[in-house]
Amino acid sequence: MVQQNKSKNSDYFSVKKIIEIGVGAGFFLFLMGWLLHTFHFIKWTPMLASIMPSSKGMKIVIAALLILFLSIVLSSLYYALLRKRKPFLSGIVISVFLFLCLFLFTDREALYLVTLYALLSVYSLFISMSVSWWYEQSK
């Protein structure tokens, strides 16, 4: 009976920890993306320009919420599928996959592509290392 209660607490703790990692990674990605865009290191093609509101503040809020949601989903997927794999290689594979997904929506200049890949590499390595480290510590 004690084992069963411990398992339920452990599941709740793991969900809470995964959400915390996702929020931290999402906050980092939003902040760095905003800084890189502000200083013209990266450009984004307006993918959803026709349905986005016209005010700049609402665009920032929607972008932040979208990035946070996607980060939580990505960290949950990493925990479910790749937590037992080597975190460095998994992080690199995820960053290549994310880069290929976003390649269509960015400017094709070399500086922008290198900056985007570096940002996504740090982001996905943060998620993979954090989830794997936490998983190893909770064993």
Side-chain angles (χ1 to χ4, degrees):
M1 184 118 187
V2 175
Q3 294 286 0
Q4 190 176 22
N5 288 339
K6 187 177 181 181
S7 175
K8 286 182 182 179
N9 290 339
S10 177
D11 290 342
Y12 172 74
F13 184 70
S14 63
V15 169
K16 180 183 169 195
K17 203 63 170 161
I18 297 304
I19 290 174
E20 288 175 0
I21 291 170
V23 168
F27 181 71
F28 170 76
L29 181 66
F30 174 74
L31 182 65
M32 292 307 296
W34 178 71
L35 285 173
L36 291 172
H37 178 72
T38 300
F39 293 113
H40 304 289
F41 284 107
I42 198 165
K43 291 181 183 177
W44 299 100
T45 304
M47 182 171 70
L48 304 172
S50 61
I51 60 172
M52 291 287 276
S54 61
S55 72
K56 189 170 184 161
M58 280 303 291
K59 287 180 183 180
I60 291 172
V61 168
I62 290 172
L65 291 175
L66 184 64
I67 287 172
L68 284 174
F69 176 74
L70 291 175
S71 295
I72 291 170
V73 169
L74 185 63
S75 62
S76 299
L77 284 173
Y78 184 85
Y79 180 77
L81 301 174
L82 301 171
R83 69 177 178 253
K84 295 179 182 178
R85 307 251 190 253
K86 300 221 182 264
F88 188 76
L89 293 175
S90 300
I92 296 297
V93 169
I94 291 171
S95 66
V96 168
F97 176 73
L98 290 174
F99 177 74
L100 292 175
C101 289
L102 293 176
F103 180 75
L104 301 172
F105 305 112
T106 59
D107 199 4
R108 300 269 189 319
E109 292 183 33
L111 175 65
Y112 299 137
L113 293 176
V114 169
T115 305
L116 178 65
Y117 183 73
L119 178 64
L120 290 175
S121 293
V122 170
Y123 168 72
S124 49
L125 283 172
F126 174 79
I127 289 177
S128 66
M129 294 290 195
S130 298
V131 170
S132 294
W133 181 82
W134 175 79
Y135 176 72
E136 290 297 321
Q137 294 297 320
S138 67
K139 279 186 174 179

